[in-house]
Every structure is written in structure tokens, then in C-alpha cells.
Amino acid sequence: MPTEILGANLGHQRIAGASKGVACTTTAAFTPFHQGTEHIDIVPRNLSTAVVVKYAFCPYLIILKADSADGLGGHLEDNTQVAQDGSTDTSVTLSGFAAGRALYVGSAIPFRGAHVDVDGANSTGSTVITVSYWNGSEWVDTGDTDGTSSSVSLDRDGAITWTVPSAWELSTLGKLASAAGESLDSSGQKYKDTNMYWTKWTWNQNMDAAVTLDHILGINES
């Protein structure tokens, strides 16, 4: 049989996803990789019919939670790692998240949404999300479709998606803050000068006291 030699340290190996693998269904499954992953094996098993398996690598997201209504001028809590670390022991906490406060979600490349694994569900009536993109001069509503809503936003797992805007422009946090007349808080300095495709997520109601998200994973452009 053929032999392939990889000039790399494969290191410690762990299964990602379900304990016996990710089931093949017509519904897309989203699998976060453990932090520090350098090598991935995709091993199909026991396919008994003419099954087509497709996979795609999705963009890594930067996820910043504004701790006040001051937007980029207030403290930005970096949830990038906990939202994408493949662990249910760490969560993005939106308990009591006030209406108008924002999640700033960005990536180095355009993306058409994110899959959200809701652990503690929201129950506040009439909660609706608005996802906006930056067109170079202002935030514009993407007209997103919220798959996390059976009756209110974030009451179930699902994908929040939109059509990738042709007018979406790269920007830095520094430029976004300046355009809003805000002085970027020191907690955002890490990304101050990094050009990214940013989105701004806001909800029109206060979240209830138990909302937590196990993951927020990017969905690729195509």
C-alpha cells in the first residue's frame, strides 16, 4: 500500500465532534477544532450507498462583546477563543445582555453567517437580531435570516446567515471607532490596525438571565 511521510509533528490526537464521529446527514454539521490543532484526519466509515460527503473549512472569527452601550468606546471582552475552542466548558455569556449592546464579529475574509450552539436559551419575548455590515461610511443592515429563532432570537441552535454584501468593505476597529465619534477602548487595541470584514450584532430586547452560547462558528462565503 502507498506510504506518505509528513514532515510534521502530529502531536496529541483527539476526536472532534461526536464520540464516534459526525453523522452524515443532509443537514450541515459544524465542528469546532480544539485550540492548537495542526493536523486533521477525515476518515469516512461504513458508507453503504452512493453517498457524497462534502466538507469545507470556514473562516476563523474575531468575536468581541461590548460591555456597555458605549460601543467601541467601552470595554470589549474578547470571546474569540471561547466561542471556537471546541469545548462546552467555555461559553459566550449573554446573560442580561442589554438591548443595543453589540457583538462585533469580524474575519479576514468575507463570510455569509455563523452557526450558533445555544446552551442557555433566551426567552425574552419579541427578541430580534439585526446584523449590520460596514460599507465604508456606515453600518448597513444585512437583512439576515435568524435560524436561532423558533419564536425569539437565540432560543435554539441554528445559523444566522445573510447574502454577502457587494459593498462590504474592510476596516479596522480604530477606523470604526473614529467614524462613530468614539475613542477606542484599550481592550480593543489588539485589533486596532487590523483590516477585517466586520459585522455588528445587536438585539432589540434585553436578554434573560441565562443566555449562554457554546460556540459561534463562521460560515464560508460559498
Side-chain angles (χ1 to χ4, degrees), residues 133-137 165-171 176 195-198:
Y133 71 93
W134 184 252
N135 72 353
S137 59
S166 59
W168 200 357
E169 290 196 11
L170 288 162
S171 187
L176 294 178
N195 270 315
M196 290 191 181
Y197 291 94
W198 287 102

Side-chain angles (χ1 to χ4, degrees), residues 81-83 85-92 213-215:
Q81 203 161 346
V82 299
D85 62 3
S87 172
T88 57
D89 294 330
T90 57
S91 301
V92 177
L213 313 178
D214 277 344
H215 75 220

Side-chain angles (χ1 to χ4, degrees), residues 15-219:
I15 293 175
S19 62
K20 296 178 177 62
V22 177
C24 292
T25 72
T26 55
T27 302
F30 292 83
T31 305
F33 298 132
H34 304 295
Q35 289 293 323
T37 297
E38 296 181 354
H39 177 86
I40 302 163
D41 289 323
I42 300 175
V43 184
R45 181 176 180 272
N46 290 3
L47 303 181
S48 59
T49 59
V51 174
V52 176
V53 178
K54 297 180 179 180
Y55 72 90
F57 292 111
C58 293
Y60 192 73
L61 302 178
I62 302 302
I63 301 168
L64 306 174
K65 181 176 73 172
D67 279 352
S68 72
D70 295 330
L72 294 170
H75 179 74
L76 299 175
E77 181 181 293
D78 193 343
N79 282 244
T80 298
Q81 203 161 346
V82 299
Q84 300 170 107
D85 62 3
S87 172
T88 57
D89 294 330
T90 57
S91 301
V92 177
T93 300
L94 297 182
S95 300
F97 199 68
R101 286 173 60 185
L103 287 182
Y104 294 93
V105 181
S107 180
I109 59 176
F111 56 108
R112 60 184 173 92
H115 185 268
V116 180
D117 186 330
V118 177
D119 183 17
N122 179 45
S123 62
T124 303
S126 304
T127 304
V128 176
I129 188 176
T130 298
V131 178
S132 304
Y133 71 93
W134 184 252
N135 72 353
S137 59
E138 62 181 345
W139 293 106
V140 180
D141 189 350
T142 62
D144 60 273
T145 298
D146 186 3
T148 72
S149 174
S150 61
S151 59
V152 298
S153 186
L154 299 182
D155 67 3
R156 66 178 182 183
D157 299 345
I160 300 170
T161 57
W162 53 82
T163 300
V164 176
S166 59
W168 200 357
E169 290 196 11
L170 288 162
S171 187
T172 66
L173 283 187
K175 290 178 182 177
L176 294 178
S178 178
E182 299 166 344
S183 179
L184 185 65
D185 184 82
S186 60
S187 57
Q189 295 300 312
K190 182 177 179 180
Y191 306 104
K192 179 182 179 181
D193 299 316
T194 303
N195 270 315
M196 290 191 181
Y197 291 94
W198 287 102
T199 56
K200 181 180 180 181
W201 301 18
T202 57
W203 287 266
N204 66 333
Q205 305 289 337
N206 296 344
M207 299 286 180
D208 69 31
V211 182
T212 54
L213 313 178
D214 277 344
H215 75 220
I216 303 174
L217 301 178
I219 301 176

